Amino acid sequence: MDIPFVELKGINKKFGTVVANQNVNMTINKGEIHAILGENGSGKSTLMNMLSGIYMPDSGQILLEGRELKITSPDDAINAGIGMIHQHFKLVDVFSAKENITLGKKDGLFIKGKELSRQIREVGDKYSLRIDPDKKVYNMSVSEKQTVEIIKVLFGGARLLILDEPTAVLTPQEIDNLFSILRKMRDDGCAIIIITHKMDEVMAISDRITILRKGESIATVNTADTDVKSLTEMMVGRPISLEIKRVTTDPEKVKPILNVRDLVVEGVGNQRLLDNVSFELSSGEILGVAGIAGSGQKELCEVLAGICRPKTGSAIFKGDEIIGLSPREIIRKGIKTSFIPEDRLGMGLVGNMNIVDNVLLKEYHNSNKMFMSRKGSKQISEQIIEKYDIKTPSVYHQVKKLSGGNIQKVLLGREINLAPQLLVTAYPVRGLDIGASYQIYNLLNSQKQDGVGIIFIGEDLDVLMALCDRIMVLSHGEVMDIVPADKVTKEQLGMLMLGHKNFDTEGHND
Amino acid sequence: MDALALFLQTAIQMGTPMLLATVGGILCEKSGHLNLGIEGMMLIGAVMGFKIGQVSGNPILAISAAAISGGLAALIYAIITVTLRGNHIVTGLTLTIFGTGVANYIGKSIVVPALPESVKAPFRSINIPLLTKIPILGKSIFNQSIYVHIAIIIAILAYIYLNRTRLGLNLRSVGENPAAADASGINVDLYKYVHIIIGGALCGVGGSYLSIVEIGWRDNLTAGIGWIAVVLIIFSTWDPLKAMFGAYFFGALRALGFQLQSIKLPFSGETISVPIQLLDMIPYIATIIVLVLITIRKKEENQAPASLGSPYFREDR
């Protein structure tokens, strides 16, 4: 224990002129779970990618059990016993679990299928990680994919396991399970680094915490000696309120505006992506949508935006049917959609275009002149930048060169600026740090108070429970239940997300 | 019966250059690189195989020259697309145009379009004892040039390599998801280089079948066979065994064209033969039909390698 397992000394890394890490120092011991906390862009992932050989530090030292280690490729890292589970899984979709697990291993020319399956089960049994070795990755749920990644790393004999935001896409039950596996590994003497945004998880799982701010390591503290409030302050650099308010809307503004009945969307092979989805929404209300990734959230957005035509079903918006209308007609009615996909750009913004042109995309058809005028869009862009505190060198800056949070604010700002009556927003805080997230929550709350009906598709159950009025839970495209957000527990939501409709009623009493 | 056996024998012969090029193309595409330079690499292999065969009189040198020249042409492609991350399609097309030019230029120095007996003799059809006794198939498959046998063995080996060995698994991961391969400690660029070059070598050998065994050298000898190979890669769903059937099917179409030339049809009192230009179209019309048909398939495993055509750079953010 005297010599730390891994020690980072004065690590620096720049991408072009952007400083990602500056003079980072930290130590990781055997048999500990070490959390790394930091806002977005504070350099957590970059730092870990240097340990796993994806990036190389510009300067600084990495010591493994006291000896200097040069990591120039992932191969070096694997040989040193460092395994990383990336935020976006690095698995080959068309391969089976065992093919992915054995990938890159040096063990004879031919693959011994049966022997491999046996070994995988052996490792799995030790940590109660269950996976069918022959299941293809494209048939797997997110948590199964994660299991494959963990077994793969263990299979490579890793003694240091790095997990980059492993809980972002898991249900509460899956998170509990993951944590118990991590604890077991720690007790076996593994060193574990976990990167996460979620404070309660950090407090629950970690032994020590290192805080990064703007690429620098601010402090390392023992979890037992600290609390959420002081951690947040170290992370953000100033005190910040951690309460999400559920605001009330003036009852006069609350009127039913959207009535969705029996929506069915079918995908390849008649698989139902949305299965008889029905719900109602009032103005001045936030309806949360919870569900495991790929439960029909995207399809719901697409139907309401007019991109995807359902097989059957109707959606009445203020007395008018909107199914069958073109996206532009729906926009004209006052329904705005902002969908933040995993890569943050995909739907909504064109990365290579600047802010003005992205605003123009939704404006130009309101003018009937032959040539476009950028004047109006420029003004709007300037308003959005000022109102939402978007950090950009100018309105003519390419959108994809902004940071994730700022991109999201441009998208949401543009939609809100169009004075919607119904706002559909999916994952608006995806990957945002605490400060930026709270700005977005406040934005949604003020829209709600103005009488906008909001559909909020989210990932973080704590946020959904705190911000929304009601929560609709989707599982395999089906509405499991619509529950009042202030009366439901996280566990109940988790059960619904997993498709268990009739959870234990004892938990239902309030 | 003899006519059928002869037809099958010819079909297999005519499919052999396509098979070699298709297997080469599969190896290349499995590394995630779309190489449209197959036609060019085949022509370079064809002319170099012929030229060296003529000058040296040594059959092994002839085949080696075809393989090495095809591999060198592929190396140009690899440098541009792997290291410099150039566009695969443009680079491949350019390689075809470049290869055609180089081959025709070298071909100008071939005055007498004939090979010495010492080169031709080893490639004549040989009877494999016993096996040729099998009715119909025996003669069609086993009474063939050594080239044909080599092509079949290469296709089978390629299948085993891709599906049963660790190296093959690593290669497939490079083509599917290079970031995953890289994170698993696989040297992505090395795999790409090696398989692009092996692919080019096989295309070169395929081209040399045309010049050494089938036709002899003439300008633009391949006449689109390289492009058919590009289609066969898709047709075979990147599977070297299925590529055998595809190649021989298209070989049969080529053979059919030759057979139909000799048929006379009665036409308003006279007999005429089917215009040769129409017959030449058969394989290409079939290509179009095949391309339409294969878009219908949806099975995940039968799709192109997922990262086909996109460059990989580890530090991309």
Side-chain angles (χ1 to χ4, degrees):
Chain A
M1 281 303 282
D2 300 323
I3 302 173
F5 182 56
V6 174
E7 188 170 4
L8 302 178
K9 274 187 179 169
I11 300 282
N12 290 297
K13 175 73 183 173
K14 275 187 191 174
F15 291 102
T17 55
V18 183
V19 178
N21 284 127
Q22 200 177 355
N23 191 26
V24 174
N25 299 292
M26 67 181 287
T27 59
I28 302 116
N29 296 322
K30 275 183 196 160
E32 76 163 344
I33 298 179
H34 197 123
I36 297 185
L37 259 181
E39 292 195 288
N40 262 94
S42 60
K44 299 172 306 236
S45 293
T46 307
L47 184 66
M48 290 304 111
N49 276 321
M50 284 190 273
L51 268 180
S52 68
I54 302 282
Y55 302 146
M56 277 171 67
D58 298 336
S59 62
Q61 271 186 316
I62 299 172
L63 303 178
L64 181 79
E65 293 177 314
R67 274 193 301 273
E68 183 164 7
L69 178 68
K70 279 260 177 273
I71 303 175
T72 59
S73 73
D75 206 23
D76 292 346
I78 293 166
N79 291 335
I82 300 171
M84 178 154 173
I85 291 157
H86 295 265
Q87 192 178 357
H88 304 293
F89 300 137
K90 299 203 184 241
L91 296 172
V92 180
D93 272 347
V94 296
F95 283 8
S96 62
K98 68 177 173 196
E99 285 176 322
N100 270 294
I101 289 167
T102 194
L103 194 61
K105 305 279 185 297
K106 297 160 190 86
D107 179 25
L109 179 63
F110 291 94
I111 301 161
K112 301 166 205 83
K114 283 203 186 105
E115 171 73 5
L116 195 59
S117 298
R118 196 185 56 74
Q119 289 171 337
I120 288 169
R121 286 208 189 86
E122 217 165 73
V123 174
D125 284 347
K126 192 170 163 199
Y127 295 106
S128 39
L129 290 158
R130 252 162 261 301
I131 193 77
D132 171 6
D134 294 305
K135 192 166 183 180
K136 300 273 183 182
V137 171
Y138 60 77
N139 281 329
M140 287 185 190
S141 69
V142 185
S143 107
E144 283 177 305
K145 288 181 191 175
Q146 190 176 57
T147 306
V148 174
E149 285 272 24
I150 294 174
I151 296 180
K152 178 175 173 178
V153 167
L154 292 175
F155 221 73
R159 292 174 295 157
L160 169 62
L161 191 68
I162 304 168
L163 299 109
D164 192 355
E165 302 210 21
T167 60
V169 286
L170 300 183
T171 64
Q173 284 81 359
E174 288 166 341
I175 292 173
D176 285 347
N177 188 32
L178 173 70
F179 282 1
S180 74
I181 291 164
L182 293 184
R183 288 195 187 98
K184 211 181 275 177
M185 288 183 193
R186 171 190 63 189
D187 298 342
D188 268 10
C190 276
I192 292 167
I193 298 178
I194 180 167
I195 299 177
T196 170
H197 280 301
K198 299 182 191 167
M199 288 293 177
D200 51 339
E201 290 176 4
V202 172
M203 298 304 289
I205 185 81
S206 69
D207 301 310
R208 289 198 302 157
I209 305 165
T210 294
I211 296 109
L212 294 186
R213 192 200 311 151
K214 297 195 171 107
E216 285 182 75
S217 48
I218 299 296
T220 298
V221 293
N222 290 324
T223 310
D225 306 338
T226 188
D227 57 43
V228 171
K229 196 165 171 295
S230 59
L231 284 174
T232 319
E233 281 185 29
M234 280 192 272
M235 207 167 111
V236 184
R238 63 190 146 81
I240 189 166
S241 154
L242 279 181
E243 231 178 324
I244 306 174
K245 280 176 292 183
R246 192 193 339 263
V247 296
T248 44
T249 316
D250 179 0
E252 279 196 9
K253 287 182 180 167
V254 180
K255 293 187 190 79
I257 52 165
L258 181 71
N259 189 344
V260 172
R261 282 283 151 256
D262 302 323
L263 279 185
V264 174
V265 172
E266 286 186 348
V268 187
N270 295 341
Q271 185 204 352
R272 290 209 164 177
L273 301 171
L274 285 182
D275 195 353
N276 284 318
V277 168
S278 303
F279 63 93
E280 280 159 20
L281 178 74
S282 300
S283 53
E285 181 193 35
I286 301 183
L287 174 69
V289 178
I292 300 168
S295 297
Q297 296 96 325
K298 187 168 170 233
E299 289 73 20
L300 183 63
C301 281
E302 289 183 348
V303 167
L304 293 177
I307 302 170
C308 158
R309 202 150 288 184
K311 194 175 169 230
T312 56
S314 77
I316 310 287
F317 177 69
K318 294 192 145 185
D320 298 329
E321 176 65 63
I322 59 164
I323 302 293
L325 298 185
S326 72
R328 184 163 293 166
E329 287 166 327
I330 289 176
I331 291 169
R332 288 232 168 95
K333 284 195 175 294
I335 300 177
K336 315 293 178 203
T337 305
S338 71
F339 184 93
I340 314 279
E342 273 166 40
D343 60 2
R344 293 186 186 160
L345 275 171
M347 280 163 79
L349 296 175
V350 182
N352 283 328
M353 295 192 344
N354 60 40
I355 301 173
V356 173
D357 285 352
N358 268 296
V359 170
L360 189 66
L361 272 181
K362 283 225 166 168
E363 296 280 330
Y364 75 95
H365 49 86
N366 294 331
S367 141
N368 48 16
K369 296 199 188 90
M370 193 169 99
F371 293 103
M372 295 181 303
S373 162
R374 284 194 168 74
K375 233 187 213 162
S377 301
K378 187 176 174 229
Q379 272 176 5
I380 295 169
S381 305
E382 280 161 354
Q383 285 168 13
I384 295 175
I385 289 171
E386 200 193 303
K387 195 164 165 197
Y388 304 118
D389 189 25
I390 294 167
K391 293 190 180 60
T392 170
S394 87
V395 285
Y396 295 115
H397 200 65
Q398 263 189 5
V399 165
K400 72 169 180 192
K401 289 188 179 157
L402 299 174
S403 79
N406 285 313
I407 291 175
Q408 271 152 266
K409 283 195 262 182
V410 170
L411 178 56
L412 213 56
R414 183 186 70 183
E415 301 306 324
I416 291 175
N417 190 65
L418 294 165
Q421 297 176 23
L422 168 61
L423 183 67
V424 182
T425 178
Y427 316 116
V429 297
R430 189 171 243 171
L432 289 196
D433 54 57
I434 293 190
S437 298
Y438 279 77
Q439 277 183 320
I440 302 260
Y441 302 145
N442 290 337
L443 220 62
L444 291 175
N445 269 335
S446 73
Q447 287 292 303
K448 174 184 170 183
Q449 281 179 314
D450 287 346
V452 177
I454 299 172
I455 297 176
F456 177 103
I457 299 174
E459 288 169 320
D460 190 333
L461 294 182
D462 290 314
V463 172
L464 283 172
M465 286 160 61
L467 187 70
C468 302
D469 297 297
R470 292 181 300 147
I471 299 174
M472 171 165 89
V473 185
L474 290 177
S475 172
H476 297 287
E478 217 179 319
V479 177
M480 302 312 291
D481 204 353
I482 301 179
V483 291
D486 53 351
K487 298 209 172 98
V488 73
T489 68
K490 229 166 138 178
E491 285 65 37
Q492 289 167 351
L493 284 176
M495 294 304 279
L496 287 170
M497 284 163 71
L498 290 169
H500 302 291
K501 215 165 194 167
N502 302 313
F503 51 75
D504 189 19
T505 42
E506 272 173 49
H508 226 345
N509 56 3
D510 33 81
Chain B
M1 276 318 233
D2 267 3
L4 180 61
L6 187 68
F7 179 71
L8 285 178
Q9 192 185 26
T10 318
I12 289 176
Q13 284 164 0
M14 298 213 144
T16 293
M18 294 185 216
L19 176 58
L20 285 162
T22 306
V23 173
I26 289 173
L27 289 177
C28 174
E29 292 201 6
K30 279 289 180 187
S31 78
H33 281 247
L34 178 66
N35 192 345
L36 297 180
I38 292 181
E39 178 93 351
M41 296 185 291
M42 286 182 84
L43 276 168
I44 289 181
V47 76
M48 287 308 289
F50 191 92
K51 181 80 187 169
I52 298 298
Q54 202 174 40
V55 172
S56 70
N58 182 329
I60 292 171
L61 276 183
I63 288 202
S64 307
I68 291 168
S69 58
L72 283 177
L75 176 64
I76 302 173
Y77 170 88
I79 291 170
I80 295 173
T81 56
V82 181
T83 305
L84 304 175
R85 297 183 201 97
N87 180 297
H88 295 189
I89 294 175
V90 176
T91 312
L93 287 174
T94 313
L95 180 59
T96 284
I97 297 165
F98 169 76
T100 311
V102 169
N104 291 346
Y105 175 72
I106 296 172
K108 274 197 192 314
S109 67
I110 298 170
V111 188
V112 189
L115 285 170
E117 190 56 27
S118 61
V119 178
K120 276 162 81 178
F123 297 128
R124 291 225 174 82
S125 294
I126 40 171
N127 266 313
I128 295 182
L130 295 177
L131 290 175
T132 37
K133 295 270 194 307
I134 304 168
I136 307 178
L137 287 180
K139 266 215 149 56
S140 319
I141 299 176
F142 296 108
N143 180 16
Q144 291 284 19
S145 163
I146 185 96
Y147 253 102
V148 174
H149 299 301
I150 289 176
I152 293 173
I153 291 168
I154 285 177
I156 294 170
L157 285 180
Y159 177 84
I160 295 171
Y161 175 75
L162 283 174
N163 295 299
R164 295 276 179 270
T165 70
R166 213 160 268 288
L167 295 173
L169 184 76
N170 293 353
L171 169 66
R172 285 187 285 140
S173 75
V174 168
E176 290 289 341
N177 185 345
D182 197 8
S184 307
I186 293 166
N187 190 335
V188 172
D189 283 2
L190 180 68
Y191 269 81
K192 285 175 181 259
Y193 262 94
V194 166
H195 293 91
I196 290 170
I197 291 171
I198 292 175
L202 288 178
C203 291
V205 174
S208 72
Y209 177 85
L210 292 171
S211 63
I212 295 176
V213 183
E214 196 178 300
I215 305 171
W217 171 256
R218 61 162 196 247
D219 277 6
N220 299 325
L221 169 77
T222 48
I225 289 176
W227 293 109
I228 295 180
V230 172
V231 174
L232 280 174
I233 294 168
I234 306 169
F235 179 69
S236 65
T237 60
W238 293 265
D239 177 341
L241 289 188
K242 287 189 199 150
M244 259 163 61
F245 295 101
Y248 296 149
F249 172 68
F250 275 86
L253 291 178
R254 274 184 75 207
L256 195 67
F258 285 109
Q259 302 253 312
L260 289 178
Q261 275 178 38
S262 53
I263 295 176
K264 303 278 184 217
L265 297 171
F267 183 72
S268 57
E270 299 174 57
T271 56
I272 60 153
S273 49
V274 186
I276 188 163
Q277 289 81 0
L278 279 181
L279 297 174
D280 282 348
M281 284 183 207
I282 293 175
Y284 306 99
I285 293 170
T287 303
I288 294 169
I289 295 169
V290 162
L291 271 181
V292 172
L293 288 181
I294 51 188
T295 54
I296 298 169
R297 288 177 315 203
K298 285 257 152 51
K299 211 174 159 218
E300 301 268 356
E301 282 83 358
N302 288 346
Q303 303 301 318
S307 82
L308 187 65
S310 39
Y312 175 66
F313 178 46
R314 183 187 287 165
E315 296 212 1
D316 249 352
R317 313 218 310 151

